[in-house]
Amino acid sequence: MATVLVAGNLTAHDRQILTSVNAGASSLSFVGSSFIVLCYVLFKELRKFSFKLVFNLALSDMLCSFFSIVGDPSKGFFCIAQGYSTHFFCVASFLWTTTIAFTLHRTVVKHKTDVEDLEALFHLYVWGTSLVMTVIRSIGNNHGHLGAWCWAEIGRTRKAIHFITFYAPLWGAILYNGFTYFQVIRMLNNATRMAVGMSDRAYQFDARPDMKALNRWGYYPLILIGSWAFGTINRIHDFVAPGHNILWLSVLDVGTAALMGLFNSIAYGLNSSVRRAIYERLDLVWPDRLRRWFPNSLKFRNQGQESELVSLKIQDQQ
């Protein structure tokens, strides 16, 4: 049977592979992010400002994954819906990570306690920027299928606009998050070393949960890098050599980008507070058998820990 070119040098079979990879990876992200959204809705003790930011991040990931699944690039209306919606919510997703980094930096480094007052500005910044980027990208754009996704960019100008409205703010967010977490980690490390030097045993004990959280914060910027590195390379390659798509690079592009929601739900969402809330509910429903799998020490250890994204306080003032 003759092959039909559908995007550059990709055949119909190649497009089917990309569509399957996108649907599978997006489904995993949808499940993971939906789980975090569900936890926020069901568990009242999680409805703090710190976890509200995680909820907004998970909600953006959930909707981005949802439209990636339902959008059919072979149909005009659904292609338009997929193109606008996935772009909007994917931009919103990585912008919410910058608000989390900003909150940690303002609380830990600057010792400010007014972050909750900035919630309205966070929403304006994230949703407003996402809308502006989506509108700019849509001007003069021809909606058509390109592999397993929409927004077919024809010509170097349209591809440049695509890069400016998505990948430029994306890597700006990556650089900001990396710099911010570096400052937070450096400050807490310095505070811990000072406490050790002063033999402040009480401080050392209180600092341990914070330092455990640091081990996770240091990996947060890597989530965006891992999710979009292949996509960035693929877009640059398409700009330099248009019409010469590489199947394996396109598969990595689609697969890793679609898994961003799953990565975020694991890294940001499954913190000690969520695990504790789940354990407590399961302990009420299925206490005896549950204790065989989760020792009591785990429960009591988690009870003393707040969310890993709460406002941290350096206890250097007596």
Side-chain angles (χ1 to χ4, degrees), residues 53-295:
L53 297 178
V54 177
F55 163 76
N56 291 324
L57 170 62
L59 182 63
S60 299
D61 285 329
M62 183 184 73
L63 293 174
C64 179
S65 301
F66 173 77
F67 286 107
S68 295
I69 297 171
V70 301
D72 187 349
S74 64
K75 299 180 181 180
F77 174 78
F78 289 103
C79 185
I80 294 175
Q82 184 192 51
Y84 278 114
S85 303
T86 53
H87 184 269
F88 178 86
F89 288 111
C90 284
V91 172
S93 174
F94 64 71
L95 290 181
W96 276 118
T97 67
T98 63
T99 66
I100 295 174
F102 174 84
T103 299
L104 284 170
H105 183 271
R106 188 169 181 83
T107 304
V108 176
V109 178
K110 294 184 176 295
H111 301 285
K112 301 290 185 179
T113 59
D114 60 346
V115 287
E116 295 190 27
D117 299 331
L118 302 176
E119 182 178 359
L121 290 178
F122 286 167
H123 283 281
L124 179 63
Y125 154 69
V126 173
W127 304 123
T129 303
S130 301
L131 180 61
V132 170
M133 293 296 103
T134 304
V135 170
I136 292 176
R137 184 180 176 183
S138 67
I139 297 175
N141 188 72
N142 294 321
H143 297 275
H145 62 262
L146 181 63
W149 55 93
C150 291
W151 295 94
E153 309 292 354
I154 301 175
R156 291 182 180 272
T157 301
R158 296 306 314 168
K159 293 177 182 179
I161 293 176
H162 178 193
F163 201 91
I164 292 172
T165 57
F166 188 86
Y167 288 95
L170 167 68
W171 284 96
I174 291 174
L175 292 175
Y176 173 80
N177 288 354
F179 177 75
T180 300
Y181 285 119
F182 171 76
Q183 286 192 318
V184 172
I185 292 173
R186 182 179 63 177
M187 179 171 182
L188 288 183
N189 279 330
N190 291 338
T192 302
R193 283 195 294 268
M194 289 177 61
V196 172
M198 297 171 61
S199 300
D200 190 343
R201 296 183 179 274
Y203 177 87
Q204 294 175 44
F205 177 80
D206 291 337
R208 286 194 191 103
D210 297 342
M211 299 312 297
K212 289 181 179 179
L214 289 183
N215 294 330
R216 301 183 66 176
W217 296 342
Y219 292 106
Y220 286 171
L222 297 180
I223 295 175
L224 289 179
I225 295 176
S227 297
W228 294 105
F230 292 109
T232 304
I233 296 173
N234 199 20
R235 295 300 174 273
I236 295 175
H237 175 268
D238 183 59
F239 186 83
V240 175
H244 294 82
N245 304 88
I246 303 175
L247 179 59
W248 66 266
L249 182 59
S250 297
V251 170
L252 291 175
D253 171 9
V254 173
T256 54
L259 286 174
M260 179 180 65
L262 178 64
F263 297 150
N264 285 336
S265 63
I266 294 174
Y268 289 93
L270 292 180
N271 54 46
S272 60
S273 294
V274 174
R275 294 194 300 269
R276 182 172 65 251
I278 295 173
Y279 182 93
E280 290 174 351
R281 268 61 175 188
L282 292 177
D283 193 32
L284 293 175
V285 177
W286 205 7
D288 295 333
R289 190 171 298 182
L290 184 66
R291 291 192 183 95
R292 302 177 184 176
W293 297 96
F294 298 96

